[in-house]
Amino acid sequence: NSNKAQNVLNIDSPYFIFVGRLEKRKNIVRILDAFNKFKQKSKTNHKLVLAGKKGYGYNEIIDKINESSELKKDIIITGYIDDKKLANLYALSDGLIYPSLYEGFGLPVLEAMASSIPVLTSDIPTIKEIAGDAAFYVNPEDVEDIAFGMNKIIQKETREALVLKGKDQVRKFSWKKSALIILNYLEEM
């Protein structure tokens, strides 16, 4: 692993990453609560990187972070980030945390798998269609379940199994198939 991403953001400890617009439907307030529980139980020095633009409900996310001095020191918000930096951030992270409440396509799930990192995500049909058996699924409305998942994906055995399955899963997605899924999604909107 190169240290480029760590140099870009000066992250000197292990971290999870969330990628996407920082908005309500992405379930970020619950991610923060779960991360807090994970930190209390695991006693690790993990950080959580939130990579994405501000969206609807952003103030609620900031309020949640500001409520806790613990959270404040362990959350890194990048704002918009270019593809090159993002690729490095994925590759150096301990996993994608993506328990979205509602999802159209869930491109970060495939990006994370292509980056050889484990994925924790929602047990909702649209994501299951994309991730198959290559993700650790949680109930997106259950903070305890999300926290449990965070702890699970840093375990060597789980991590290695998910990374291997993720590589296979990504291979199933040709650009043509991905385009058809996206097109189908857009037509439903």
Side-chain angles (χ1 to χ4, degrees):
N1 278 359
S2 87
N3 284 329
K4 280 184 191 160
Q6 287 164 312
N7 295 340
V8 167
L9 293 182
N10 296 318
I11 303 171
D12 57 0
S13 52
Y15 64 90
F16 294 119
I17 187 168
F18 164 87
V19 177
R21 194 174 287 273
L22 305 184
E23 61 187 1
K24 254 185 160 56
R25 74 187 179 105
K26 297 294 184 181
N27 209 17
I28 296 167
V29 169
R30 280 197 192 96
I31 293 173
L32 294 169
D33 283 337
F35 182 67
N36 228 347
K37 284 187 186 302
F38 161 77
K39 292 281 291 187
Q40 287 162 5
K41 282 183 184 167
S42 67
K43 304 286 184 234
T44 70
N45 62 339
H46 274 77
K47 299 212 179 303
L48 175 63
V49 175
L50 302 176
K53 294 180 186 168
K54 296 176 185 177
Y56 172 72
Y58 180 75
N59 290 348
E60 207 177 310
I61 294 163
I62 294 305
D63 289 347
K64 184 64 164 181
I65 293 167
N66 289 335
E67 269 174 29
S68 157
S69 58
E70 281 304 298
L71 270 181
K72 221 172 169 173
K73 73 177 178 52
D74 288 330
I75 305 294
I76 299 160
I77 298 177
T78 68
Y80 168 78
I81 196 154
D82 69 49
D83 288 346
K84 199 173 177 186
K85 285 181 188 167
L86 185 58
N88 277 336
L89 279 177
Y90 271 127
L92 293 172
S93 82
D94 269 357
L96 175 72
I97 307 299
Y98 202 78
S100 189
L101 293 168
Y102 167 82
E103 200 51 56
F105 182 65
L107 196 58
V109 170
L110 284 179
E111 289 174 340
M113 289 176 180
S115 302
S116 299
I117 62 166
V119 172
L120 176 155
T121 192
S122 304
D123 57 1
I124 58 176
T126 44
I127 292 188
K128 283 189 161 179
E129 187 182 342
I130 296 161
D133 68 347
F136 189 88
Y137 292 103
V138 296
N139 173 349
E141 294 182 21
D142 185 340
V143 168
E144 291 288 341
D145 203 22
I146 299 167
F148 172 78
M150 287 174 176
N151 191 47
K152 199 76 180 156
I153 67 169
I154 60 171
Q155 307 305 319
K156 191 172 187 285
E157 211 170 283
T158 306
R159 178 184 180 81
E160 286 173 359
L162 289 175
V163 167
L164 272 176
K165 288 177 181 175
K167 285 178 183 173
D168 286 343
Q169 189 66 15
V170 169
R171 283 190 204 107
K172 293 176 188 173
F173 279 83
S174 66
W175 281 111
K176 190 174 180 185
K177 184 175 179 181
S178 300
L180 287 171
I181 291 171
I182 293 168
L183 196 64
N184 195 25
Y185 161 67
L186 291 173
E187 283 168 357
E188 286 171 14
M189 286 179 81

